[in-house]
Amino acid sequence: MPVNVEIPVEKWPGSVRQVTLGATAAEGGTRQHTVAVGGANTLPFLGFEGTLPHRPQIAIEVRSSNPGEEWPEPLSSAWGDVLDDPAAWAKAAEAAGAELILLRLTSTDNTGASMTAAKARKVLRGVLGATGLPLIVLGPGQAELDNELLVAVAEEGVGERLVLGYCEDKNYRTIVAAALAHHHLVISRTPMDVNLAKQLTILIHDMGLPLERIVMDPTTGALGYGMEYGYSVMERLRLAALQGDIMTQQPMIVTPGEEAWRTKEARAGEGVPGAWGDWAQRAVNWEALTAAALVESGADIIVLRHPETVARVKRMITELMAA
Amino acid sequence: MALSGLEIYKLLPRTNCKECGYPTCLAFAMKLAAKQAKLSLCPTVSEESKARLSAAATPPIRLITLAADGRKLEVGNETVLFRHEKTFFHPVGLLVRVPDTLSAAEITALAKAVADYKVDYVGMALTLDGLAVDAVSGDADKFAAAVAAVRGVCTMPLVLLTEDPTVMAAGLAKTAGVTPLLYAATAANWEELARLAKSAKAPLAVRADTLAGLAELTDKLTGAGVEDLVLDPALRAFNGSLATLTQLRRLALKKNFRPVGYPIITFPYLGEADPAMEGLLAAQQIAKYAGMVVLGRFDPATVYPLLVLRANIYTDPQKPIQVEPGIYPINKPGPDTPVLVTTNFSITYFAVANEMESSGLPAWLLVADAEGMSVLTAWAAGKFDAEKIAKTVKGTGIAEKVGHRKVVIPGHVAVLLGELEEELPGWQIKVGPREAVDLPRYLKTAW
C-alpha cells in the first residue's frame, strides 16, 4: 500500500544578514569583484525548504612575516618560498582557490624588527596589488598594536571595504571608529557564547556601524580540542537568527586552519602512536574535518591554511550547494 | 512522543496520596517528565493511563543492537535534532567494509587491523565498531568464506552486504556467535530477506530511494514481524544525504512518524570515490544523523580524526569532558622545567596544553580535580582554592620530578597567592598570565 510521506518543512521568520566584502573600482575600491555572504533563510544547505543565495566562502591566511617554526613542515612546505613575501603569498593563495584573503599582520617582520604602522601600510599595498580578492586584515592580537596598525590599514585601504579584526569585548572602539571613518567592515569576536556574541554586536552597532558591516567570529576550537563547544554555539546562533533575533543574524567567520594547525595531531611527525597514521595526511584531515563540522553548523567564511584542505572543503561546499 | 509534565499529570490519579514519595501528583508528573522517577512508584495509576504513558515513552527512533561475542553496537534512540537541546545518546557506529573479493590473507589482515585499532583521546580508548562484509563477488561460497575468515580473527559486530537471499543465507550460516545486520531488503527481495532476518533474529536494513518507498517497505516488514530495522535512504552525495537524513530525523522526532523511526546506515564511499572526500562525507554523516557509517577503507590518518569527531559530537553538552587530574608532561620536560597548575575542565586543559605544545617549550602541567570547571568558575565555587592546589602539588608527586620548588598558578587566581604560600611551605608561588595564550611569553621572560 503506498504510504504518503509529508516532508517536514520549517518556515523560519528570520534570515542571516547579507554582508558584502570588498569594493570594485566602480564602488570606490580596487577589487576585481566583491564577495557576498549570508542571506540564507534556512539551516545550512537545506535547499528543500529555503534559499541559500551565497555559498560559504574560503579565505586563506597570509601573514606579513614568515611563520617559520610556528608552522609545521607539512604546512610550510605546501607554500614554500612565498611565505617570505605576503604579496607573492596572496597571489599563490588566489591561485590555490582562495575566495578571500585573510592578511594577518604579525608583531615583527621577517628581520625580527617590530611591525609599525608604516610597514603595515606597505604590506597592505603589496597584497592589494597582488590579488583582486577582497581582504580581511587582522592585527597581531595585542590590543595596543592592533589599534595602531589597523587604524593605519583602514586609512591606507580607504574605500576597499576591508574586514578589520578582531573587535573584542575589551578592545573594539578604535577599530570600529576606523571602520566607520574609512568605510570598512569589522569582525566581532567573542569566546564561544551566544549572549556574548549578541552583546558585542549590539555594542558595535551602537557606535553607528551598520549591521551590514559586521561579521561575527564565535571562536573556533580544533577537532578534539573543544570543537563541539563552538559547533553548538554556532548552531544556537544560527537557530536564533532564523527565529528572528536580529542581533544574532550576522554571518559567521571561523578559523579551523589556525586552530587545527596548533594541535599536536597536526604538528607532531615523530614520537606519536602508530594509530595516528601518516603525518601529512592526518594533519590535513585534522584541518579539513574541523572545517567540515563547522561548515555543517553554519560557517559563512572559513579561514584555512593548507591548499589541499582548501580544495577539499571547496569541493564539499560545491556538492552541498548542488541543487 | 514524550509527554510534558502537565500531560502526564492528567493521566495520574490526582489524589496527592504521597505514596510515590513525592508531595503531590504534579510534582511526581514533573519528575516523570524529566525521567527522574519511574511510573511503577504510583500504586493507583489506571491500566489505561499506564498503556498511554508507556506508548508515549516508546522511543521515536528504535534502538537497534548488533551483538557479537562480548561486545555490541547499539544505535538509535536519539531524541533531539541538535546536541545542545539535550545530547546525542548512542554514538554512530563506525564500520569498515571488507570486500569478499580480497584474498583470504588480505581479509584476515584487514579484519585484524580494524579489530585491533585503538587510539587514546583524553583518557578514552576510541575504537572502531565493526566490519561490513560485502558480497562483491555475488558468489555464495566466496561470501561465506569471507565471513568465516572475518569471524576467525575477530569478535566485532558485523554487517552482511548482499541483496541476494541465497548469498545472504550462505554468509549468515557462518556468523554463529554474532547477530549481524543484514543489508539490504528492497522492494524486490524483502520477503525472502524478512524470512532470513526472522529466523536469525537479526536486524534488517531497508533500502529505497524515496522516503515513501522506505516507509512502505518498513510497513511491510513490521507487518511480517521484523521490527528491528535500519534505513538506507540511498541518496549518497553530500547534499542529498544531508537533506534526507535531516528529513528522516525530523519525521521521526517531530512528527512521530513510526515507519521511519529507525537508525540510518550510510556508505560515504559510494558518495565520494576520492578517499579524502569520503572522510569529509563521513564527518557530515556523523554530525548529521547517521546511526552507522560504513567506511570504504581503513586508513588510521582518517579513522583517528573521525573517531575524535564522533566523541566530540556525542559528548553530553551538560557534562563536558573532564580530563583526568594528574601530571601531564609537555614537550619532554626535565628537572628544571616549569611547573604549571590548572583545572580539569577539558577546554581549560586544552587551551593550556595546546599553547604549550605549539610553543615548543617544555612544561609539567598539573591538572587539579576542580570537578570539570574552568579556573574562574571553579575558584568562585570553592573547587580551585589554595588547599586544592596544594593538594594537587603534593598529591601528584611533582616534587620528585623537578629540582626546583616553583609553581605557576593562573593569573585569574592571583588572590590565592598568600594563602597558597602558607599551604605549600618551601615552594615559591608564581602568578602566571590570565589567558593561556600569554603563557609562552610569560615563561620566556618570567620563569
Side-chain angles (χ1 to χ4, degrees), chain A residues 1 6 8 10 48-49 224-226 228-229 232 235-236 262 265 275-276 285 296 312 315 319-320 322, chain B residues 82-84 117 121 216 239 247 250 254 272 276-277 284 288 301-302 304 312 320 347 350 354-355:
Chain A
M1 191 182 95
E6 197 184 325
E10 301 276 359
F48 67 88
E49 69 177 13
Y225 295 80
E228 71 274 24
Y229 290 83
S232 281
E235 288 199 328
R236 289 172 58 200
R262 279 165 48 175
E265 282 78 358
W276 285 22
N285 279 335
E296 302 286 352
R312 292 183 195 175
R315 167 89 197 284
E319 291 291 325
L320 279 165
Chain B
F82 303 97
R83 55 187 294 282
H84 66 258
Y117 187 79
Y121 167 62
E216 251 171 70
N239 184 291
Q247 288 164 358
R250 282 185 184 172
K254 303 186 86 160
E272 285 289 344
M277 295 308 294
Q284 169 181 301
K288 296 290 176 187
T302 307
Y304 175 34
N312 285 175
I347 298 299
F350 285 139
N354 224 7
E355 285 303 336

Tab-separated table of all heavy atoms in Angstrom, chain A residues 1 6 8 10 48-49 224-226 228-229 232 235-236 262 265 275-276 285 296 312 315 319-320 322, chain B residues 82-84 117 121 216 239 247 250 254 272 276-277 284 288 301-302 304 312 320 347 350 354-355:
chain	number	residue	atom	x	y	z
A	1	MET	N	0.849	-1.194	0.000
A	1	MET	CA	0.000	0.000	0.000
A	1	MET	C	0.882	1.241	0.000
A	1	MET	O	1.778	1.360	0.831
A	1	MET	CB	-0.865	-0.034	1.266
A	1	MET	CG	-1.958	0.972	1.279
A	1	MET	SD	-2.872	0.890	2.847
A	1	MET	CE	-2.050	2.146	3.786
A	6	GLU	N	4.767	13.140	4.242
A	6	GLU	CA	4.814	14.589	4.106
A	6	GLU	C	6.158	15.081	4.647
A	6	GLU	O	6.467	14.910	5.828
A	6	GLU	CB	3.666	15.208	4.891
A	6	GLU	CG	3.387	16.640	4.479
A	6	GLU	CD	2.306	17.255	5.355
A	6	GLU	OE1	1.379	16.519	5.749
A	6	GLU	OE2	2.411	18.453	5.647
A	8	PRO	N	8.677	17.214	6.372
A	8	PRO	CA	8.528	18.330	7.311
A	8	PRO	C	9.394	19.519	6.896
A	8	PRO	O	10.602	19.377	6.725
A	8	PRO	CB	9.011	17.763	8.646
A	8	PRO	CG	9.611	16.446	8.352
A	8	PRO	CD	9.504	16.135	6.907
A	10	GLU	N	10.409	23.550	7.663
A	10	GLU	CA	10.347	24.647	8.632
A	10	GLU	C	10.233	25.960	7.871
A	10	GLU	O	10.968	26.192	6.920
A	10	GLU	CB	11.625	24.698	9.476
A	10	GLU	CG	11.922	23.432	10.252
A	10	GLU	CD	11.186	23.379	11.575
A	10	GLU	OE1	10.461	24.343	11.891
A	10	GLU	OE2	11.325	22.352	12.283
A	48	PHE	N	15.817	22.368	0.312
A	48	PHE	CA	14.441	21.932	0.081
A	48	PHE	C	13.422	22.787	0.826
A	48	PHE	O	12.233	22.706	0.560
A	48	PHE	CB	14.261	20.446	0.440
A	48	PHE	CG	14.411	20.139	1.903
A	48	PHE	CD1	13.322	20.221	2.766
A	48	PHE	CD2	15.645	19.759	2.429
A	48	PHE	CE1	13.463	19.930	4.122
A	48	PHE	CE2	15.787	19.471	3.782
A	48	PHE	CZ	14.698	19.560	4.628
A	49	GLU	N	13.893	23.609	1.755
A	49	GLU	CA	12.912	24.407	2.493
A	49	GLU	C	13.216	25.900	2.493
A	49	GLU	O	12.473	26.675	3.087
A	49	GLU	CB	12.762	23.911	3.932
A	49	GLU	CG	13.989	24.175	4.792
A	49	GLU	CD	13.795	23.732	6.233
A	49	GLU	OE1	12.834	23.002	6.521
A	49	GLU	OE2	14.634	24.125	7.065
A	224	GLY	N	38.738	17.767	18.607
A	224	GLY	CA	39.403	17.159	19.759
A	224	GLY	C	39.831	18.162	20.814
A	224	GLY	O	40.285	17.782	21.888
A	225	TYR	N	39.738	19.441	20.507
A	225	TYR	CA	40.171	20.476	21.449
A	225	TYR	C	39.048	21.492	21.656
A	225	TYR	O	39.250	22.693	21.573
A	225	TYR	CB	41.447	21.153	20.946
A	225	TYR	CG	42.627	20.219	20.886
A	225	TYR	CD1	42.787	19.337	19.818
A	225	TYR	CD2	43.556	20.168	21.922
A	225	TYR	CE1	43.848	18.448	19.763
A	225	TYR	CE2	44.621	19.292	21.876
A	225	TYR	CZ	44.768	18.425	20.801
A	225	TYR	OH	45.826	17.555	20.763
A	226	GLY	N	37.865	20.982	21.887
A	226	GLY	CA	36.758	21.872	22.179
A	226	GLY	C	35.933	22.263	20.969
A	226	GLY	O	35.090	23.150	21.050
A	228	GLU	N	33.415	20.973	19.696
A	228	GLU	CA	31.965	20.820	19.873
A	228	GLU	C	31.334	22.019	20.582
A	228	GLU	O	30.157	22.298	20.386
A	228	GLU	CB	31.642	19.513	20.603
A	228	GLU	CG	31.998	19.457	22.088
A	228	GLU	CD	33.448	19.038	22.357
A	228	GLU	OE1	34.303	19.215	21.470
A	228	GLU	OE2	33.718	18.544	23.470
A	229	TYR	N	32.109	22.749	21.368
A	229	TYR	CA	31.544	23.928	22.035
A	229	TYR	C	31.212	24.991	20.991
A	229	TYR	O	30.119	25.533	20.961
A	229	TYR	CB	32.520	24.499	23.063
A	229	TYR	CG	32.701	23.609	24.264
A	229	TYR	CD1	33.583	22.545	24.230
A	229	TYR	CD2	31.977	23.830	25.430
A	229	TYR	CE1	33.747	21.710	25.322
A	229	TYR	CE2	32.139	23.011	26.533
A	229	TYR	CZ	33.021	21.946	26.470
A	229	TYR	OH	33.174	21.129	27.552
A	232	SER	N	28.242	23.909	18.718
A	232	SER	CA	26.890	24.075	19.266
A	232	SER	C	26.520	25.545	19.440
A	232	SER	O	25.363	25.914	19.252
A	232	SER	CB	26.753	23.330	20.603
A	232	SER	OG	26.565	21.955	20.337
A	235	GLU	N	25.386	26.542	16.070
A	235	GLU	CA	24.029	26.045	15.778
A	235	GLU	C	22.983	26.880	16.504
A	235	GLU	O	21.935	27.204	15.965
A	235	GLU	CB	23.891	24.565	16.160
A	235	GLU	CG	24.643	23.651	15.218
A	235	GLU	CD	24.189	22.196	15.267
A	235	GLU	OE1	23.769	21.725	16.358
A	235	GLU	OE2	24.250	21.530	14.233
A	236	ARG	N	23.289	27.239	17.745
A	236	ARG	CA	22.331	28.034	18.525
A	236	ARG	C	22.205	29.447	17.952
A	236	ARG	O	21.106	30.001	17.886
A	236	ARG	CB	22.757	28.058	19.997
A	236	ARG	CG	22.566	26.700	20.677
A	236	ARG	CD	23.173	26.683	22.057
A	236	ARG	NE	22.594	27.715	22.902
A	236	ARG	CZ	23.170	28.191	23.999
A	236	ARG	NH1	24.334	27.719	24.383
A	236	ARG	NH2	22.585	29.114	24.712
A	262	ARG	N	47.500	24.123	15.260
A	262	ARG	CA	48.148	24.254	16.566
A	262	ARG	C	48.126	22.956	17.338
A	262	ARG	O	48.752	22.826	18.378
A	262	ARG	CB	47.425	25.325	17.390
A	262	ARG	CG	47.847	26.727	17.020
A	262	ARG	CD	46.901	27.752	17.564
A	262	ARG	NE	46.602	27.534	18.971
A	262	ARG	CZ	45.874	28.364	19.692
A	262	ARG	NH1	45.382	29.452	19.136
A	262	ARG	NH2	45.629	28.122	20.951
A	265	GLU	N	48.258	16.787	16.912
A	265	GLU	CA	47.969	15.876	15.808
A	265	GLU	C	48.486	16.430	14.478
A	265	GLU	O	48.882	15.671	13.597
A	265	GLU	CB	46.459	15.615	15.715
A	265	GLU	CG	45.936	14.625	16.742
A	265	GLU	CD	45.750	15.214	18.132
A	265	GLU	OE1	46.072	16.408	18.316
A	265	GLU	OE2	45.281	14.487	19.025
A	275	ALA	N	48.754	4.502	15.652
A	275	ALA	CA	47.332	4.604	15.331
A	275	ALA	C	46.967	5.985	14.786
A	275	ALA	O	45.863	6.165	14.282
A	275	ALA	CB	46.495	4.288	16.571
A	276	TRP	N	47.886	6.944	14.909
A	276	TRP	CA	47.594	8.281	14.383
A	276	TRP	C	47.732	8.349	12.863
A	276	TRP	O	47.262	9.279	12.239
A	276	TRP	CB	48.524	9.333	15.030
A	276	TRP	CG	48.159	9.675	16.436
A	276	TRP	CD1	47.420	8.903	17.300
A	276	TRP	CD2	48.485	10.875	17.140
A	276	TRP	NE1	47.287	9.559	18.496
A	276	TRP	CE2	47.923	10.760	18.434
A	276	TRP	CE3	49.212	12.020	16.814
A	276	TRP	CZ2	48.050	11.771	19.393
A	276	TRP	CZ3	49.349	13.014	17.767
A	276	TRP	CH2	48.765	12.883	19.048
A	285	ASN	N	43.798	16.171	7.291
A	285	ASN	CA	42.482	15.687	7.730
A	285	ASN	C	42.000	16.444	8.961
A	285	ASN	O	40.806	16.696	9.114
A	285	ASN	CB	42.530	14.184	8.047
A	285	ASN	CG	42.434	13.334	6.795
A	285	ASN	OD1	41.899	13.776	5.785
A	285	ASN	ND2	42.971	12.128	6.859
A	296	GLU	N	28.966	22.539	8.431
A	296	GLU	CA	27.637	21.971	8.708
A	296	GLU	C	26.891	22.783	9.763
A	296	GLU	O	25.667	22.762	9.820
A	296	GLU	CB	27.751	20.520	9.214
A	296	GLU	CG	28.470	19.565	8.276
A	296	GLU	CD	27.650	19.173	7.053
A	296	GLU	OE1	26.455	19.519	6.996
A	296	GLU	OE2	28.221	18.529	6.151
A	312	ARG	N	39.596	20.507	-0.783
A	312	ARG	CA	38.592	19.561	-0.278
A	312	ARG	C	37.345	20.267	0.235
A	312	ARG	O	36.216	19.856	-0.050
A	312	ARG	CB	39.182	18.725	0.861
A	312	ARG	CG	40.260	17.778	0.411
A	312	ARG	CD	40.738	16.929	1.578
A	312	ARG	NE	41.988	16.272	1.246
A	312	ARG	CZ	42.683	15.537	2.112
A	312	ARG	NH1	42.246	15.396	3.350
A	312	ARG	NH2	43.804	14.962	1.746
A	315	ARG	N	35.275	21.738	-2.523
A	315	ARG	CA	34.574	20.668	-3.232
A	315	ARG	C	33.336	20.237	-2.429
A	315	ARG	O	32.246	20.040	-2.971
A	315	ARG	CB	35.579	19.532	-3.423
A	315	ARG	CG	35.068	18.227	-3.837
A	315	ARG	CD	34.998	18.047	-5.355
A	315	ARG	NE	34.110	16.912	-5.573
A	315	ARG	CZ	34.480	15.654	-5.374
A	315	ARG	NH1	35.723	15.362	-5.037
A	315	ARG	NH2	33.614	14.673	-5.538
A	319	GLU	N	29.418	20.531	-3.578
A	319	GLU	CA	28.481	19.398	-3.532
A	319	GLU	C	27.252	19.737	-2.695
A	319	GLU	O	26.127	19.386	-3.043
A	319	GLU	CB	29.172	18.162	-2.938
A	319	GLU	CG	30.245	17.557	-3.826
A	319	GLU	CD	29.635	16.918	-5.073
A	319	GLU	OE1	28.532	16.368	-4.967
A	319	GLU	OE2	30.262	17.009	-6.138
A	320	LEU	N	27.482	20.413	-1.572
A	320	LEU	CA	26.360	20.741	-0.682
A	320	LEU	C	25.423	21.777	-1.297
A	320	LEU	O	24.235	21.800	-0.998
A	320	LEU	CB	26.894	21.239	0.667
A	320	LEU	CG	27.328	20.142	1.632
A	320	LEU	CD1	28.165	20.701	2.766
A	320	LEU	CD2	26.125	19.395	2.182
A	322	ALA	N	24.858	21.994	-4.501
A	322	ALA	CA	24.259	21.459	-5.732
A	322	ALA	C	22.764	21.262	-5.531
A	322	ALA	O	22.331	20.764	-4.496
A	322	ALA	CB	24.920	20.132	-6.088
B	82	PHE	N	19.423	18.702	17.617
B	82	PHE	CA	20.651	19.457	17.883
B	82	PHE	C	21.192	19.030	19.239
B	82	PHE	O	20.437	18.955	20.208
B	82	PHE	CB	20.367	20.962	17.878
B	82	PHE	CG	19.769	21.426	16.587
B	82	PHE	CD1	18.401	21.586	16.452
B	82	PHE	CD2	20.584	21.666	15.493
B	82	PHE	CE1	17.847	21.987	15.249
B	82	PHE	CE2	20.038	22.064	14.281
B	82	PHE	CZ	18.671	22.227	14.154
B	83	ARG	N	22.499	18.794	19.291
B	83	ARG	CA	23.060	18.238	20.524
B	83	ARG	C	22.849	19.163	21.725
B	83	ARG	O	22.707	18.691	22.847
B	83	ARG	CB	24.537	17.864	20.359
B	83	ARG	CG	25.418	18.980	19.886
B	83	ARG	CD	26.830	18.484	19.594
B	83	ARG	NE	27.531	18.038	20.787
B	83	ARG	CZ	28.090	18.850	21.666
B	83	ARG	NH1	28.024	20.160	21.501
B	83	ARG	NH2	28.718	18.363	22.715
B	84	HIS	N	22.783	20.499	21.496
B	84	HIS	CA	22.609	21.392	22.642
B	84	HIS	C	21.214	21.276	23.268
B	84	HIS	O	21.010	21.708	24.396
B	84	HIS	CB	22.887	22.842	22.236
B	84	HIS	CG	21.897	23.410	21.252
B	84	HIS	ND1	22.170	23.541	19.919
B	84	HIS	CD2	20.650	23.871	21.423
B	84	HIS	CE1	21.122	24.060	19.301
B	84	HIS	NE2	20.179	24.270	20.190
B	117	TYR	N	42.411	-1.844	16.159
B	117	TYR	CA	42.649	-0.400	16.146
B	117	TYR	C	42.150	0.241	17.437
B	117	TYR	O	41.002	0.068	17.835
B	117	TYR	CB	41.960	0.267	14.953
B	117	TYR	CG	42.334	1.732	14.845
B	117	TYR	CD1	43.546	2.110	14.297
B	117	TYR	CD2	41.495	2.718	15.351
B	117	TYR	CE1	43.918	3.443	14.237
B	117	TYR	CE2	41.863	4.057	15.292
B	117	TYR	CZ	43.078	4.407	14.736
B	117	TYR	OH	43.450	5.733	14.686
B	121	TYR	N	42.234	9.115	23.473
B	121	TYR	CA	41.839	10.527	23.372
B	121	TYR	C	41.363	10.981	24.743
B	121	TYR	O	40.394	10.436	25.262
B	121	TYR	CB	40.747	10.695	22.314
B	121	TYR	CG	40.060	12.046	22.348
B	121	TYR	CD1	40.781	13.223	22.112
B	121	TYR	CD2	38.708	12.151	22.631
B	121	TYR	CE1	40.158	14.456	22.152
B	121	TYR	CE2	38.069	13.380	22.677
B	121	TYR	CZ	38.801	14.536	22.443
B	121	TYR	OH	38.182	15.752	22.496
B	216	GLU	N	7.031	2.490	2.995
B	216	GLU	CA	6.250	1.345	2.511
B	216	GLU	C	6.906	0.033	2.900
B	216	GLU	O	6.256	-0.890	3.381
B	216	GLU	CB	6.200	1.404	0.982
B	216	GLU	CG	4.849	1.779	0.429
B	216	GLU	CD	4.941	2.032	-1.067
B	216	GLU	OE1	5.133	1.055	-1.814
B	216	GLU	OE2	4.861	3.213	-1.459
B	239	ASN	N	24.859	16.632	-0.555
B	239	ASN	CA	23.622	17.390	-0.473
B	239	ASN	C	22.412	16.500	-0.209
B	239	ASN	O	21.625	16.744	0.711
B	239	ASN	CB	23.447	18.192	-1.780
B	239	ASN	CG	22.234	19.080	-1.727
B	239	ASN	OD1	21.118	18.582	-1.723
B	239	ASN	ND2	22.439	20.371	-1.660
B	247	GLN	N	15.535	15.117	7.013
B	247	GLN	CA	14.091	14.869	6.900
B	247	GLN	C	13.678	13.643	7.704
B	247	GLN	O	12.643	13.645	8.380
B	247	GLN	CB	13.708	14.692	5.423
B	247	GLN	CG	13.773	16.008	4.652
B	247	GLN	CD	13.789	15.812	3.152
B	247	GLN	OE1	13.791	14.687	2.652
B	247	GLN	NE2	13.813	16.915	2.415
B	250	ARG	N	13.717	14.496	11.396
B	250	ARG	CA	12.566	15.347	11.729
B	250	ARG	C	11.270	14.549	11.726
B	250	ARG	O	10.427	14.721	12.610
B	250	ARG	CB	12.450	16.484	10.717
B	250	ARG	CG	13.432	17.618	10.928
B	250	ARG	CD	13.104	18.696	9.933
B	250	ARG	NE	14.019	19.821	9.950
B	250	ARG	CZ	13.982	20.786	9.043
B	250	ARG	NH1	13.086	20.755	8.062
B	250	ARG	NH2	14.829	21.794	9.116
B	254	LYS	N	9.771	14.904	15.220
B	254	LYS	CA	8.781	15.977	15.318
B	254	LYS	C	7.390	15.514	14.901
B	254	LYS	O	6.394	16.049	15.365
B	254	LYS	CB	9.213	17.177	14.472
B	254	LYS	CG	10.596	17.681	14.899
B	254	LYS	CD	10.994	18.934	14.182
B	254	LYS	CE	10.428	20.142	14.917
B	254	LYS	NZ	11.137	21.375	14.558
B	272	GLU	N	31.399	9.370	-2.448
B	272	GLU	CA	32.650	10.036	-2.799
B	272	GLU	C	33.732	8.983	-3.006
B	272	GLU	O	34.204	8.377	-2.039
B	272	GLU	CB	33.074	11.008	-1.679
B	272	GLU	CG	32.257	12.286	-1.636
B	272	GLU	CD	32.559	13.229	-2.805
B	272	GLU	OE1	33.591	13.047	-3.479
B	272	GLU	OE2	31.734	14.142	-3.032
B	276	ALA	N	39.868	11.086	0.350
B	276	ALA	CA	39.888	12.300	1.173
B	276	ALA	C	38.472	12.864	1.314
B	276	ALA	O	38.064	13.298	2.388
B	276	ALA	CB	40.807	13.341	0.548
B	277	MET	N	37.716	12.831	0.234
B	277	MET	CA	36.357	13.364	0.282
B	277	MET	C	35.424	12.413	1.023
B	277	MET	O	34.474	12.832	1.663
B	277	MET	CB	35.838	13.627	-1.133
B	277	MET	CG	36.593	14.714	-1.878
B	277	MET	SD	36.752	16.269	-0.960
B	277	MET	CE	35.037	16.791	-0.877
B	284	GLN	N	30.313	14.555	7.860
B	284	GLN	CA	28.969	15.149	7.790
B	284	GLN	C	27.938	14.182	8.363
B	284	GLN	O	27.050	14.576	9.126
B	284	GLN	CB	28.605	15.465	6.334
B	284	GLN	CG	27.124	15.819	6.183
B	284	GLN	CD	26.727	16.127	4.741
B	284	GLN	OE1	27.278	17.036	4.142
B	284	GLN	NE2	25.795	15.376	4.204
B	288	LYS	N	25.449	14.806	11.283
B	288	LYS	CA	24.058	14.951	10.887
B	288	LYS	C	23.409	13.609	10.593
B	288	LYS	O	23.215	13.225	9.439
B	288	LYS	CB	23.935	15.921	9.707
B	288	LYS	CG	24.375	17.344	10.050
B	288	LYS	CD	23.410	18.044	10.996
B	288	LYS	CE	23.916	19.422	11.389
B	288	LYS	NZ	23.100	20.061	12.413
B	301	ALA	N	45.003	7.534	9.433
B	301	ALA	CA	45.075	9.004	9.371
B	301	ALA	C	43.694	9.629	9.161
B	301	ALA	O	43.507	10.815	9.405
B	301	ALA	CB	46.034	9.440	8.260
B	302	THR	N	42.729	8.840	8.698
B	302	THR	CA	41.359	9.327	8.551
B	302	THR	C	40.488	8.840	9.700
B	302	THR	O	39.638	9.567	10.213
B	302	THR	CB	40.751	8.831	7.215
B	302	THR	OG1	41.622	9.189	6.161
B	302	THR	CG2	39.389	9.456	6.974
B	304	TYR	N	41.309	8.131	12.782
B	304	TYR	CA	41.566	8.817	14.052
B	304	TYR	C	40.747	10.108	14.165
B	304	TYR	O	39.970	10.277	15.113
B	304	TYR	CB	43.077	9.029	14.219
B	304	TYR	CG	43.519	9.824	15.417
B	304	TYR	CD1	42.821	9.766	16.630
B	304	TYR	CD2	44.666	10.616	15.362
B	304	TYR	CE1	43.247	10.500	17.734
B	304	TYR	CE2	45.096	11.340	16.466
B	304	TYR	CZ	44.380	11.286	17.640
B	304	TYR	OH	44.804	12.021	18.724
B	312	ASN	N	33.462	14.023	20.045
B	312	ASN	CA	33.105	15.420	20.288
B	312	ASN	C	31.605	15.638	20.125
B	312	ASN	O	30.946	16.213	20.978
B	312	ASN	CB	33.840	16.349	19.322
B	312	ASN	CG	35.317	16.531	19.666
B	312	ASN	OD1	36.051	17.169	18.945
B	312	ASN	ND2	35.761	15.966	20.777
B	320	PRO	N	30.534	18.325	30.237
B	320	PRO	CA	31.709	18.410	29.376
B	320	PRO	C	32.784	17.410	29.816
B	320	PRO	O	32.845	17.030	30.980
B	320	PRO	CB	32.192	19.842	29.571
B	320	PRO	CG	31.525	20.339	30.800
B	320	PRO	CD	30.270	19.555	30.973
B	347	ILE	N	38.242	22.136	28.248
B	347	ILE	CA	38.613	23.286	27.423
B	347	ILE	C	39.772	24.069	28.052
B	347	ILE	O	40.668	24.550	27.372
B	347	ILE	CB	37.403	24.221	27.219
B	347	ILE	CG1	36.302	23.472	26.489
B	347	ILE	CG2	37.784	25.461	26.442
B	347	ILE	CD1	36.673	22.978	25.130
B	350	PHE	N	42.810	21.961	27.442
B	350	PHE	CA	43.223	22.034	26.043
B	350	PHE	C	43.858	23.386	25.722
B	350	PHE	O	44.830	23.469	24.975
B	350	PHE	CB	42.029	21.814	25.109
B	350	PHE	CG	41.594	20.386	25.039
B	350	PHE	CD1	40.256	20.058	25.027
B	350	PHE	CD2	42.529	19.371	24.989
B	350	PHE	CE1	39.850	18.734	24.954
B	350	PHE	CE2	42.135	18.045	24.917
B	350	PHE	CZ	40.782	17.729	24.895
B	354	ASN	N	47.541	23.089	24.589
B	354	ASN	CA	47.742	23.411	23.189
B	354	ASN	C	48.723	24.565	23.001
B	354	ASN	O	49.593	24.520	22.140
B	354	ASN	CB	46.390	23.766	22.570
B	354	ASN	CG	46.210	23.123	21.230
B	354	ASN	OD1	47.038	22.309	20.821
B	354	ASN	ND2	45.152	23.483	20.549
B	355	GLU	N	48.597	25.593	23.833
B	355	GLU	CA	49.536	26.714	23.756
B	355	GLU	C	50.951	26.232	24.021
B	355	GLU	O	51.896	26.633	23.345
B	355	GLU	CB	49.183	27.807	24.774
B	355	GLU	CG	47.999	28.657	24.412
B	355	GLU	CD	48.128	29.359	23.068
B	355	GLU	OE1	49.265	29.570	22.593
B	355	GLU	OE2	47.077	29.667	22.485
